[in-house]
Amino acid sequence: MTDKILIKIENLEVQLPASHIIVKKDEYLDLKNKVSQGQYMSLSEVLEMVSVSRPWILEHVLYQPDIRSKIDIDKNKDGFVKYPDSQGGRYYFLASKTKKFFEENFAEIFSL
């Protein structure tokens, strides 16, 4: 993949559509990260993001004691998952930390 295109044409003007802007890559990445800050995700949204089944994520992530000790807000002040208070209750995930966790722990979670 290349990130450079060299075109030498004098007096060339490119008109961007009104729906587009040019922004620095760092600014774009910063904005992209901020989108999920302060947002919560449901278990269904996490399942869609990671592309696994509910039984799989329960067995390999949410019910794993070593992982739960890191992510459960009742067990760790830096956690980001609110486990249900009763069977059939809802899980709540802090979106920004959930995405970061799956990015940083991919090999461990998928035993690669």
Side-chain angles (χ1 to χ4, degrees), residues 27-57:
E27 184 178 352
Y28 166 76
L29 294 173
D30 185 50
L31 290 169
K32 186 176 172 187
N33 286 333
K34 286 181 180 176
V35 165
S36 60
Q37 289 182 345
Q39 299 292 314
Y40 295 91
M41 299 173 75
S42 67
L43 180 56
S44 297
E45 291 170 314
V46 173
L47 293 172
E48 185 177 326
M49 178 186 76
V50 185
S51 298
V52 297
S53 68
R54 181 184 174 98
W56 189 94
I57 205 162

Side-chain angles (χ1 to χ4, degrees), residues 61-62 66-73 76 78-83 93 101:
V61 179
L62 297 175
D66 56 326
I67 294 176
R68 184 171 181 170
S69 67
K70 296 175 192 174
I71 67 175
D72 186 341
I73 63 171
N76 180 349
D78 294 321
F80 53 89
V81 179
K82 172 64 177 131
Y83 279 70
F93 298 82
F101 176 79

